[in-house]
Amino acid sequence: MPQRPLWLSLAPFIFLGLWSVGYSVTKISLIYTDAMTLLALRFGCVIVIMIILYLIIRPPLPQTRAEWGHLAFVGFLLQAVYFGMNYYAFNSGVGAGTLALFMSFQPILVALVAPLWTSEIVSRRTWIGLALGLCGTLLVISARTEIEPPTLLGLTFSTLALLGITSGSLWEKRFGLNHHPVTSNLIGYTAGFIGILPALALQDSFEVEWTGPFIAALAYLVIANSVIAVGLLLAMIRAGDVSRVSALFFLVPPLAAMVAWVLLGEVMPPLAWLGLAVASLGVYLATRKKRDV
């Protein structure tokens, strides 16, 4: 059995760290511009970086229309649908805790659909881990934020965001091909950028306050979140069981709460620390593979 590459073994830890910090960085960014303008800048910068890297590296492009379509569709689902609907949910008054509650059901949905969609076997231990992960995440969210019922519009956007990241993960697992990450990112983010153009066309203003903190935050969102974290997520999905990879998302709200405690001074009550411990145990059980005897 081939040895697992070191970078792939470290990928879950790097992904969780980068993705969780992104929530606080996004809050800082939105002080200086609106959500959709931020998303357009983020996607546009990634596309420019990928074009430069493509011209230098010259990685192979997809050979068939189907390959082009799969890469573009995953990019559209993850970038335009997931991120776009998340931002719209915020704009329609959905609280951070309520949205995090919605997103915490993503690993459960993936585990329910994966056996039918990818013939993946979800073990009893994985289900126990998923249940613990969900309980721990709910403890953190309920301890730190007030959960308020969203409006019908907010509920719609939140549900679409949840379906976007769930469908994108499952589609990547079934149809994802081992294309060069520069190729995958270039096509995926271009599809995501095209997907948000109708929303941008409806905006009246694109004001941005170009301060040092905003530029630093945008650089983090582009390089750390969009290039590295999303690239690691897709690589982990291709290399492993999608239900195990999705279980990592249970740790995002607890870790994001820790980062917000450090960077933004937001309160981290004792119950939230307990939730972090429970979620960590759940993710460990859900992602740990049986060793061959």
Side-chain angles (χ1 to χ4, degrees), residues 46-154:
V46 175
I47 292 169
V48 170
I49 292 172
M50 289 303 121
I51 289 174
I52 294 171
L53 290 176
Y54 176 78
L55 293 175
I56 296 171
I57 301 172
R58 296 286 183 177
L61 291 172
Q63 298 300 307
T64 65
R65 288 183 181 179
E67 291 180 13
W68 279 92
H70 291 317
L71 289 175
F73 191 52
V74 170
F76 173 77
L77 289 172
L78 292 181
Q79 312 308 334
V81 179
Y82 172 62
F83 283 113
M85 293 303 103
N86 257 317
Y87 284 4
Y88 267 135
F90 279 128
N91 284 345
S92 63
V94 178
T98 304
L99 192 57
L101 180 62
F102 266 88
M103 295 306 113
S104 66
F105 286 99
Q106 188 260 359
I108 302 294
L109 283 180
V110 167
L112 287 171
V113 178
L116 300 174
W117 182 250
T118 64
S119 301
E120 182 177 306
I121 298 173
V122 182
S123 67
R124 183 183 302 176
R125 184 183 59 196
T126 299
W127 276 114
I128 293 172
L130 291 173
L132 284 173
L134 179 60
C135 290
T137 301
L138 296 182
L139 279 175
V140 174
I141 294 170
S142 61
R144 294 187 70 253
T145 54
E146 212 172 292
I147 307 299
E148 298 179 356
T151 62
L152 180 59
L153 188 60

Side-chain angles (χ1 to χ4, degrees), residues 151-288:
T151 62
L152 180 59
L153 188 60
L155 177 64
T156 302
F157 289 141
S158 301
T159 303
L160 287 173
L162 174 60
L163 293 176
I165 192 167
T166 302
S167 303
S169 299
L170 290 166
W171 200 273
E172 175 65 21
K173 180 59 186 178
R174 182 163 179 175
F175 298 108
L177 303 168
N178 292 321
H179 287 292
H180 194 281
V182 170
T183 304
S184 299
N185 278 326
L186 179 56
I187 296 173
Y189 277 97
T190 300
F193 187 83
I194 293 171
I196 66 169
L197 286 180
L200 287 173
L202 296 175
Q203 285 193 187
D204 297 324
S205 172
F206 301 92
E207 290 184 10
V208 179
E209 193 177 338
W210 291 97
T211 64
F214 174 75
I215 294 172
L218 179 61
Y220 182 92
L221 292 175
V222 170
I223 297 170
N225 266 41
S226 297
V227 176
I228 300 176
V230 171
L232 288 175
L233 174 63
L234 296 179
M236 288 188 294
I237 289 173
R238 291 173 186 174
D241 295 337
V242 67
S243 61
R244 287 191 172 99
V245 175
S246 293
L248 293 172
F249 281 91
F250 283 133
L251 278 178
V252 172
L255 291 178
M258 273 188 61
V259 172
W261 173 56
V262 174
L263 294 183
L264 305 176
E266 295 184 4
V267 178
M268 185 79 169
L271 187 60
W273 290 104
L274 174 62
L276 174 58
V278 173
S280 299
L281 174 61
V283 170
Y284 172 75
L285 290 175
T287 58
R288 182 170 171 266

